[in-house]
Amino acid sequence: MRWQFFLILATFCSTTTMVEAQQVEYQMPPKVIADLVDAPLTPAVSLSPDNHTMLLMQRPTMPSIDEVGGDELRLGGLRINPRTNGASRSRHYVGLTFQGIDNTGKVAVSGLPDKPKLENIRWSIDGSKIAFTHTTVHGLQLWIADVQSGASRQLTEAVVNDAISGVPYTWLPDLRILVRVIPEDRGDVPMAPSVPPGPVVQENSYGASPVRTYQDLLKNPFDESLFEYYASSELRILDPTTDEMVPLAPAGIYRVNSPSPDGQFLLVVKLTPPFSYIVPYYRFAQQVQILDLEGKLVQTIAEIPPAENIPKGFNAVRTGPRSFMWRSDKPASLYWVEAQDAGDPNIESDVRDQLFRLDAPFTAQASAGIEFSLRFHSIDWCDGDLAIANEYWWSNRREIRSTFAPDNPAISRKVVFDRSYEDRYTDPGDFETTLNAYGRSVLMRSDDGSLYLTGIGASPEGNRPFIDRFDLKNNHSTRIWRSETPYYEVPISIIDPDKGLVITRRETEKQNPNFHLRNIIDGSIGTITEFPNPYLALQGVQKELIRYQRSDGIELTGTLYLPPGYDKDRDGRLPVLMWAYPREYKSKDAASQVRNSPHEFLRVSYGSPIFWVTRGYAVLDNFAMPIIGEGEEEPNETFINQLVQGAEAAINKIVDLGIADRQRLAVGGHSYGAFMTANLLAHSDLFAAGIARSGAYNRTLTPFGFQSEERTFWEAPQVYFTMSPFMHADKIKVPILLIHGQADNNSGTYPMQSERFYSALKGHGATVRMVMLPHESHGYRARESIMHMLWEMDEWLEKYVKPQKETGEKTEKDKSGRSN
């Protein structure tokens, strides 16, 4: 069979490269686009623990390609800068300012180093200080700043180890700081052997190990030695009042080092050999221990083997103990869960997970807690008589939230919500939390014992965020506030529920998001921040949420942008850039729901298609592309048909509106949107050109599942073949632009996906251009890369989409809104 031949070809084509290379210099897009990219960035904001102070964090301009292309080691799923012993692709801030929520007392943090690169910013438990790291050319230093005075100072030399993901330090309740530091005696960097001592051998004798296509994995013993060298830390306790730093625990690869709420114990999770070559570091073997604050071992909780043989499926988990955490409402009470179904979602079981608990001094047997009929997700703690358990199941999109009494089993468990989590219109929101005496998050309760819920408030007219009061006695929610037009206003933090004081972030189509102090009882509102609109060039852009129907009756939406001053009667039909990302659903009703708000501010990011509204295009952004599989039907069984139906429906709508020229349509997307783009060009004649960024095009290279597909290639070969645009490269007859980062580390989107797809297209005579961006990952960062990407896209659209075509008879059909 033809498809079997292509599958065999796809399996072996990765051994050769047929891509014709051409070196070009970085280019700049038109000035109107470049100016939008270079617009000043609005500061990021962080609230103090008591909600009385804001920290405004100034973001820098885009880094240069020199910075992005710096030294980098790719080990065990980590990307490490060997010069700094930190993450190689982290983002930083260049300035900090404290500001009271009453819009007074603005204090810029002083004493910062020259050219600061500030990361890992965290408030102290009492909110009087912040700590942060500063990255130098030689490593990471730990700094501290006082909220009242704004004065900052350096606490350590460049010894902080930030190679493992997560903040490399932790505030203790007594305002000392637990820090991961580079071991003093770790010695010189391991050197690669000039001659390998022998072959690298992997062997499996423990059954099936279906793993997805992870990247940056360990490959050999030398990689193992490098991983251990850079990931190993010592734990030390630093006293900021004296700058004294004392040892706590010897060198180890600490993935977790979490103090108990009372600060008397430390939960540590260490990675231990053997290290895996097929899964990332977070699935390596682990040792879970409790230490006291002098570093003495109190108890070893678990020895966990590598998780290489987790069953397939999105609800599959490792066997044995997992998800170790402290209870927020107790001084030192550890909890975790263990799978009761061998971690396999394909096994029928009434109980999927069970909760376990072990209290200080950790010498007793762990006590079994509540059982979960679905997979454990999280627990919202309150006190010994109240906590909320959260569990979910992927295949039917079900979630259950229920109350239970962790210290009083006699109080029966009560289901609060049992629903489909993909149904946005019935989403009750999330329970609000506040900080207790330990500085830990617990459920927020009013004077009468009610809880509070906040959510996005999805509705047919768009998202309208809300605050509800929830009565535990009757499971009844009462709406006490809702965002009102013409604003899109999101509750950020409830300061005092009984007084009605809430911090919100409010925006409109043309007003940049800003923070406000609102009283939801008397309706008064005060301004906290006044960030200006950085995108004045877009002020005249017309924005509309359009609604239309797919041929099978599914209601869909998209956001349409039109150039400033555009008048369809005067200016006629426009070329259109359509941009989307497919999403899978188990319900037609959920697939039809509106996913945004018409009142949201017109944001711009490097990946946005909105730039081209300034170049005379209409832009249809985020046009809905749902892929639905109800009941036992898998969505991907009819992926191609649904994809084409969705595109046809969107096109018919904008043509019927008198806006789109059916002969001048481009489609594009990033990642799974790129995969969508290639498939639309292969299976329809709807578009004049396509733009596909950082996509995957050959699903036989992701044989153990991809996106929301749980089945393996061997279980559903026809699905993998049909959905792979690589297998249908001979059908693509319109120009396609492929863009990909050469250092893409996203699962499944290897750079070779674009390289092989380009070779297949070129071999069939397609008009295709492939742009490989040096040093860029799945998302692009360097200013040179982003500007060049936008230049490539603009040139492609101007050449293959914008020019008027001699349509003849087709022009009359276009005016009627009918397909050619």
Side-chain angles (χ1 to χ4, degrees):
M1 293 177 64
R2 180 173 177 270
W3 69 268
Q4 291 174 319
F5 165 77
F6 273 112
L7 292 180
I8 296 171
L9 172 65
T11 302
F12 292 98
C13 71
S14 61
T15 60
T16 60
T17 300
M18 301 171 60
V19 178
E20 187 178 287
Q22 178 186 5
Q23 187 75 48
V24 299
E25 295 183 355
Y26 287 111
Q27 301 293 317
M28 288 290 291
K31 186 175 184 302
V32 66
I33 292 179
D35 287 348
L36 287 171
V37 176
D38 284 333
L41 297 174
T42 299
V45 173
S46 174
L47 273 171
S48 64
D50 62 5
N51 290 320
H52 290 159
T53 306
M54 277 187 168
L55 176 64
L56 310 182
M57 299 173 284
Q58 181 183 344
R59 296 181 288 179
T61 57
M62 290 176 289
S64 69
I65 191 65
D66 289 340
E67 181 178 342
V68 172
D71 291 345
E72 182 175 74
L73 296 173
R74 302 170 188 176
L75 302 167
L78 295 170
R79 292 193 164 184
I80 301 170
N81 182 335
R83 294 190 180 188
T84 66
N85 221 110
S88 61
R89 295 173 182 264
S90 58
R91 300 180 184 274
H92 65 272
Y93 301 99
V94 295
L96 305 172
T97 301
F98 297 114
Q99 175 182 324
I101 62 170
D102 57 359
N103 202 13
T104 62
K106 186 176 286 189
V107 178
V109 174
S110 60
L112 294 173
D114 294 335
K115 299 181 180 179
K117 298 180 69 173
L118 314 178
E119 302 175 56
N120 300 307
I121 301 170
R122 291 293 184 272
W123 294 89
S124 62
I125 291 174
D126 67 349
S128 66
K129 298 174 177 62
I130 59 168
F132 51 90
T133 59
H134 164 56
T135 303
T136 73
V137 293
H138 302 297
L140 280 75
Q141 305 164 341
L142 186 63
W143 284 62
I144 194 171
D146 181 76
V147 173
Q148 187 172 2
S149 67
S152 70
R153 65 186 182 89
Q154 180 181 336
L155 293 178
T156 74
E157 297 300 323
V159 296
V160 177
N161 190 338
D162 196 20
I164 293 283
S165 298
V167 178
Y169 69 88
T170 305
W171 282 98
L172 298 173
D174 60 7
L175 301 189
R176 293 185 299 165
I177 304 174
L178 176 67
V179 192
R180 294 201 304 258
V181 301
I182 296 169
E184 281 186 332
D185 60 350
R186 73 172 178 177
D188 296 331
V189 179
M191 300 296 293
S194 57
V195 177
V200 176
V201 176
Q202 298 185 61
E203 179 180 353
N204 178 58
S205 58
Y206 299 101
S209 300
V211 295
R212 291 206 162 195
T213 48
Y214 299 110
Q215 302 194 44
D216 298 344
L217 300 178
L218 301 179
K219 300 179 180 64
N220 51 52
F222 176 62
D223 277 359
E224 292 188 62
S225 65
L226 286 176
F227 174 79
E228 193 161 13
Y229 181 85
Y230 286 103
S232 293
S233 301
E234 292 176 356
L235 299 181
R236 299 185 188 175
I237 293 182
L238 172 66
D239 187 342
T241 63
T242 64
D243 288 356
E244 181 183 10
M245 189 158 57
V246 297
L248 175 70
I253 305 176
Y254 295 97
R255 187 185 172 206
V256 174
N257 43 269
S258 172
S260 60
D262 65 1
Q264 299 302 305
F265 299 96
L266 187 67
L267 166 68
V268 297
V269 178
K270 293 191 294 185
L271 305 183
T272 59
F275 301 134
S276 174
Y277 290 9
I278 65 172
V279 294
Y281 74 96
Y282 50 83
R283 288 174 62 174
F284 288 0
Q286 301 178 4
Q287 183 182 64
V288 183
Q289 295 179 329
I290 301 292
L291 309 180
D292 65 21
L293 264 289
E294 294 181 352
K296 296 178 182 177
L297 176 64
V298 176
Q299 188 64 262
T300 296
I301 305 298
E303 301 276 359
I304 303 173
E308 291 187 340
N309 59 344
I310 291 178
K312 70 180 182 68
F314 290 113
N315 276 124
V317 295
R318 69 198 310 163
T319 56
R322 72 179 199 280
S323 300
F324 295 89
M325 284 171 278
W326 296 107
R327 273 183 59 171
S328 300
D329 61 326
K330 292 289 185 181
S333 181
L334 187 68
Y335 75 97
W336 65 87
V337 292
E338 297 185 24
Q340 305 299 300
D341 59 358
D344 190 346
N346 302 296
I347 294 176
E348 294 294 329
S349 178
D350 293 332
V351 178
R352 295 290 179 181
D353 282 330
Q354 184 161 20
L355 189 70
F356 289 86
R357 168 183 168 184
L358 184 60
D359 295 336
F362 313 106
T363 54
Q365 284 288 106
S367 57
I370 61 172
E371 298 175 337
F372 297 87
S373 60
L374 309 180
R375 191 64 75 205
F376 167 83
H377 180 269
S378 61
I379 294 178
D380 299 313
W381 300 100
C382 186
D383 54 42
D385 288 330
L386 177 63
I388 294 178
N390 307 291
E391 52 192 299
Y392 76 104
W393 199 248
W394 162 259
S395 63
N396 58 8
R397 311 303 196 265
R398 185 184 177 194
E399 72 163 348
I400 298 176
R401 285 187 264 179
S402 55
T403 62
F404 71 102
D407 293 345
N408 193 349
I411 299 177
S412 61
R413 190 172 175 185
K414 180 181 177 182
V415 173
V416 176
F417 303 120
D418 187 345
R419 57 182 297 275
S420 168
Y421 61 76
E422 72 176 7
D423 183 355
R424 294 164 59 85
Y425 290 176
T426 64
D427 185 353
D430 296 317
F431 286 101
E432 278 292 291
T433 61
T434 188
L435 299 182
N436 62 10
Y438 299 119
R440 302 299 178 102
S441 293
V442 293
L443 292 168
M444 175 179 286
R445 303 186 78 168
S446 66
D447 289 342
D448 65 3
S450 297
L451 304 181
Y452 291 89
L453 291 159
T454 59
I456 61 169
S459 69
E461 64 265 27
N463 295 342
R464 295 182 63 186
F466 65 85
I467 302 174
D468 284 355
R469 181 182 287 110
F470 184 78
D471 189 336
L472 284 167
K473 296 177 183 177
N474 56 20
N475 278 14
H476 178 71
S477 293
T478 302
R479 187 133 303 169
I480 57 177
W481 179 83
R482 189 184 191 189
S483 178
E484 298 291 342
T485 59
Y487 300 102
Y488 179 69
E489 190 169 1
V490 181
I492 300 300
S493 180
I494 299 177
I495 298 178
D496 188 324
D498 295 302
K499 292 182 179 179
L501 295 179
V502 180
I503 294 176
T504 67
R505 187 186 67 241
R506 187 168 74 164
E507 61 193 89
T508 69
E509 285 184 62
K510 304 184 186 305
Q511 294 178 353
N512 200 25
N514 273 289
F515 292 85
H516 299 267
L517 180 59
R518 172 180 283 281
N519 189 312
I520 62 175
I521 295 176
D522 64 21
S524 61
I525 186 169
T527 300
I528 302 176
T529 63
E530 298 179 271
F531 303 134
N533 181 350
Y535 309 122
L536 296 180
L538 298 177
Q539 279 194 321
V541 170
Q542 305 170 52
K543 174 185 174 184
E544 180 186 358
L545 182 69
I546 63 170
R547 304 167 189 271
Y548 51 96
Q549 192 176 82
R550 211 164 71 173
S551 59
D552 58 0
I554 303 298
E555 299 289 337
L556 303 174
T557 60
T559 304
L560 179 65
Y561 299 93
L562 300 174
Y566 170 74
D567 183 295
K568 66 180 179 183
D569 295 327
R570 180 191 66 216
D571 302 324
R573 296 180 181 272
L574 298 175
V576 183
L577 173 58
M578 301 171 61
W579 201 265
Y581 189 96
R583 300 182 187 277
E584 293 83 356
Y585 295 89
K586 294 300 292 180
S587 159
K588 292 180 180 179
D589 290 339
S592 294
Q593 294 176 352
V594 177
R595 299 184 62 85
N596 51 23
S597 166
H599 307 300
E600 290 181 86
F601 179 65
L602 182 53
R603 292 172 175 82
V604 176
S605 70
Y606 84 85
S608 171
I610 296 172
F611 294 107
W612 281 275
V613 78
T614 67
R615 298 281 285 157
Y617 295 80
V619 175
L620 184 59
D621 190 21
N622 198 27
F623 68 96
M625 292 294 272
I627 309 298
I628 306 163
E630 294 191 308
E632 296 299 318
E633 182 184 14
E634 293 288 344
N636 286 339
E637 292 293 336
T638 54
F639 178 87
I640 299 299
N641 289 340
Q642 294 192 62
L643 210 62
V644 174
Q645 283 180 333
E648 285 178 331
I651 291 169
N652 289 338
K653 176 63 177 182
I654 56 179
V655 169
D656 289 345
L657 288 173
I659 291 168
D661 179 348
R662 196 182 291 272
Q663 301 303 309
R664 295 191 292 162
L665 302 173
V667 64
H670 188 94
S671 193
Y672 210 54
F675 176 70
M676 169 204 76
T677 296
N679 269 309
L680 283 172
L681 298 190
H683 299 286
S684 76
D685 58 359
L686 300 170
F687 299 98
I691 300 173
R693 295 196 319 233
S694 298
Y697 310 103
N698 180 353
R699 285 305 168 194
T700 69
L701 299 177
T702 57
F704 286 103
F706 58 91
Q707 201 69 7
S708 294
E709 178 58 65
E710 292 185 282
R711 295 169 296 179
T712 70
F713 159 69
W714 296 273
E715 292 173 310
Q718 190 63 47
V719 169
Y720 277 66
F721 170 79
T722 302
M723 289 181 65
S724 295
F726 177 91
M727 309 302 179
H728 310 282
D730 58 323
K731 300 176 184 176
I732 295 180
K733 306 301 183 184
V734 298
I736 181 170
L737 172 64
L738 305 176
I739 302 175
H740 215 120
Q742 286 185 340
D744 193 332
N745 65 335
N746 183 56
S747 178
T749 55
Y750 299 108
M752 105 175 136
Q753 288 273 8
S754 285
E755 294 169 348
R756 302 301 177 259
F757 192 37
Y758 172 83
S759 296
L761 292 166
K762 184 174 183 290
H764 286 93
T767 300
V768 57
R769 180 178 174 91
M770 182 178 68
V771 181
M772 303 299 290
L773 299 173
H775 306 298
E776 295 294 350
S777 186
H778 193 60
Y780 315 144
R781 292 191 61 208
R783 184 176 186 272
E784 293 89 340
S785 301
I786 290 169
M787 292 297 188
H788 186 85
M789 174 200 76
L790 295 170
W791 176 81
E792 292 278 2
M793 293 174 64
D794 188 72
E795 290 285 307
W796 201 254
L797 294 170
E798 292 290 294
K799 182 176 183 178
Y800 293 111
V801 180
K802 184 178 258 187
Q804 295 279 356
K805 294 182 175 65
E806 294 295 330
T807 56
E809 181 184 356
K810 292 181 180 179
T811 302
E812 296 303 314
K813 290 185 178 180
D814 281 351
K815 289 180 180 178
S816 72
R818 299 177 186 277
S819 172
N820 293 303

